[in-house]
Amino acid sequence: MIYYFLTLILFNLFCVIYFDKISSLIRIIDKPNQFHKTHKKNISAVGGILLFFNILIFSIFFFVNKDKNIIFLYTSIFNNINELVYFLIIYLLFFFKGVFDDLKNINANLKFFLSIIFILILISLDNQIVLKTLIFQDLNVKINLSFMKLFFTIFCFLTFINALNMFDGINLQVSLYSIFMTLFLLINLGINLFLLTILIFLIFFSFLNYKSKCFLGDSGSLGLGFIFSYFFIKSYNIDQIILCDEIFLLMLVPGLELIRLTISRLLKSRHPFLADQNHLHHLLNKRIGLEKTLLISLCLIIMPVIINELFGETIKIILITIFIYIFLIFKLKKS
């Protein structure tokens, strides 16, 4: 196990040190424009490629290791090899869709349709991923999804994946948010080899992103979106390890952004998934700069989760967070 983590760290360190050569070799570039991007120069968008190679290292380590029981002990979310294989296949589909989009800019409707197809394939392969009931501990409410279970499962995957993709707009925002979610999962699920792999990647990627050298690209944001949505749904389905209340809080601000931007774009007769600079982080960044924007944006996500873990009162925390979000948007739009 020590050799595995040493390999991961050395690989990511190599990527950081020789990143300029890697980016010149893998020519996936995010070019600036005045419509929805804030950077002023071409930036490499190979973050998703680096994530892919980290997951490849994990996969090789898993499949060449003869003692599968030890590996499963540290990857508790997967009950057997088949579930892991299905998960990796669907991750690859989202990854390659993202790579193609980074290179060719796929039509938004086609991207949406492909996402639905990929999730349907996963559900057909692994029925344990289907949400059948929703339990809200704070409200003491249990909702039986019945005939809506398939539709609602697809909806949850699409919401999380697209919300995370929309949240990826300024340096460090998605990587720090992803680090927080990874740590949250590790605390609740215990030691998990796959999640630790993701965490190591995110730490090294955050350095490159902070230096404005590398973006995740769609291959990275879509891949991470799928990974987190899978882990949250699967951990919920396994004896409700993580409850709806907690997942809802973690996704509240990105979810509010998704709802607000979708409605705003539809009212303007624009496609809901066509990017613009109307995001909360864009509005804040124009007025108070990157550092303060990151602080406010991440505090809106992290603090409600921490307060809920310490004191409970989920509904009150949700209502207060929504009020703060609406207040911020109103003030920023008005000024």
Side-chain angles (χ1 to χ4, degrees):
M1 202 69 71
I2 293 174
Y3 293 114
Y4 171 72
F5 287 112
L6 185 60
T7 302
L8 268 182
I9 291 169
L10 288 175
F11 169 75
N12 284 281
L13 187 60
F14 173 86
C15 290
V16 169
I17 295 171
Y18 295 100
F19 182 75
D20 291 338
K21 291 184 179 179
I22 293 171
S23 61
S24 63
L25 183 65
I26 308 173
R27 300 291 296 173
I28 301 179
I29 304 297
D30 194 319
K31 298 179 180 179
N33 64 52
Q34 295 180 343
F35 184 59
H36 71 275
K37 297 179 181 180
T38 58
H39 56 285
K40 306 299 181 183
K41 61 179 182 179
N42 290 349
I43 304 290
S44 175
V46 299
I49 305 289
L50 301 183
L51 171 62
F52 164 78
F53 279 108
N54 276 268
I55 293 174
L56 181 62
I57 292 171
F58 165 83
S59 302
I60 292 171
F61 175 76
F62 179 88
F63 289 107
V64 301
N65 196 301
K66 294 179 181 179
D67 192 354
K68 293 291 189 290
N69 291 328
I70 294 294
I71 306 300
F72 277 120
L73 181 64
Y74 296 112
T75 52
S76 55
I77 200 77
F78 305 108
N79 295 312
N80 53 59
I81 294 177
N82 287 342
E83 288 184 6
L84 174 59
V85 170
Y86 301 152
F87 166 78
L88 291 173
I89 289 171
I90 304 304
Y91 160 74
L92 285 175
L93 291 175
F94 276 102
F95 166 72
F96 285 118
K97 184 186 80 165
V99 170
F100 197 76
D101 191 33
D102 287 331
L103 291 170
K104 300 293 183 180
N105 289 320
I106 305 175
N107 176 273
N109 289 325
L110 177 59
K111 286 194 290 185
F112 185 72
F113 176 73
L114 287 173
S115 294
I116 295 175
I117 296 298
F118 298 161
I119 296 163
L120 282 171
I121 293 172
L122 176 63
I123 291 171
S124 68
L125 293 171
D126 183 2
N127 187 54
Q128 201 174 31
I129 206 71
V130 178
L131 289 163
K132 299 179 176 67
T133 59
L134 300 178
I135 299 174
F136 294 89
Q137 189 177 44
D138 195 52
L139 290 174
N140 196 25
V141 170
K142 182 177 180 180
I143 302 172
N144 190 343
L145 293 172
S146 186
F147 66 93
M148 293 288 291
K149 60 186 180 184
L150 182 63
F151 170 81
F152 191 78
T153 302
I154 295 171
F155 171 79
C156 287
F157 269 103
L158 291 176
T159 300
F160 199 104
I161 292 168
N162 285 291
L164 191 71
N165 186 252
M166 283 187 175
F167 204 57
D168 185 18
I170 58 173
N171 289 355
L172 290 178
Q173 183 164 258
V174 163
S175 62
L176 293 179
Y177 175 46
S178 297
I179 287 173
F180 177 70
M181 286 194 293
T182 306
L183 291 172
F184 181 87
L185 284 165
L186 283 167
I187 290 169
N188 283 275
L189 298 177
I191 296 174
N192 186 291
L193 199 62
F194 185 85
L195 289 174
L196 288 170
T197 303
I198 299 300
L199 182 62
I200 291 170
F201 157 74
L202 287 168
I203 291 169
F204 282 93
F205 169 77
S206 294
F207 175 79
L208 291 170
N209 192 227
Y210 172 72
K211 294 290 186 180
S212 294
K213 284 191 170 186
C214 184
F215 291 161
L216 276 172
D218 275 351
S219 63
S221 60
L222 292 176
L224 279 175
F226 167 71
I227 289 167
F228 286 125
S229 55
Y230 179 94
F231 266 77
F232 279 118
I233 291 172
K234 196 69 173 286
S235 62
Y236 171 79
N237 279 340
I238 301 173
D239 299 322
Q240 285 78 48
I241 297 172
I242 300 175
L243 296 175
C244 291
D245 312 59
E246 298 169 310
I247 299 172
F248 192 87
L249 267 178
L250 275 166
M251 277 300 299
L252 182 57
V253 173
L256 288 171
E257 280 282 89
L258 177 65
I259 294 168
R260 179 180 66 86
L261 291 167
T262 298
I263 294 172
S264 173
R265 290 166 185 172
L266 288 173
L267 289 174
K268 294 176 182 178
S269 299
R270 295 185 62 244
H271 196 286
F273 297 141
L274 286 180
D276 55 32
Q277 290 197 29
N278 195 29
H279 298 243
L280 174 62
H281 52 261
H282 287 138
L283 299 174
L284 284 169
N285 193 34
K286 289 175 184 177
R287 289 161 178 79
I288 60 176
L290 176 63
E291 290 80 8
K292 292 179 180 178
T293 297
L294 275 173
L295 181 63
I296 292 173
S297 181
L298 292 172
C299 277
L300 266 177
I301 295 171
I302 294 172
M303 291 309 297
V305 176
I306 294 174
I307 293 170
N308 182 63
E309 289 294 312
L310 293 173
F311 306 108
E313 302 292 340
T314 312
I315 300 303
K316 291 180 182 178
I317 296 170
I318 288 172
L319 291 174
I320 291 169
T321 305
I322 293 173
F323 173 79
I324 294 172
Y325 173 83
I326 293 172
F327 175 78
L328 276 174
I329 293 296
F330 178 77
K331 291 291 289 184
L332 291 167
K333 287 286 190 179
K334 191 176 180 181
S335 60

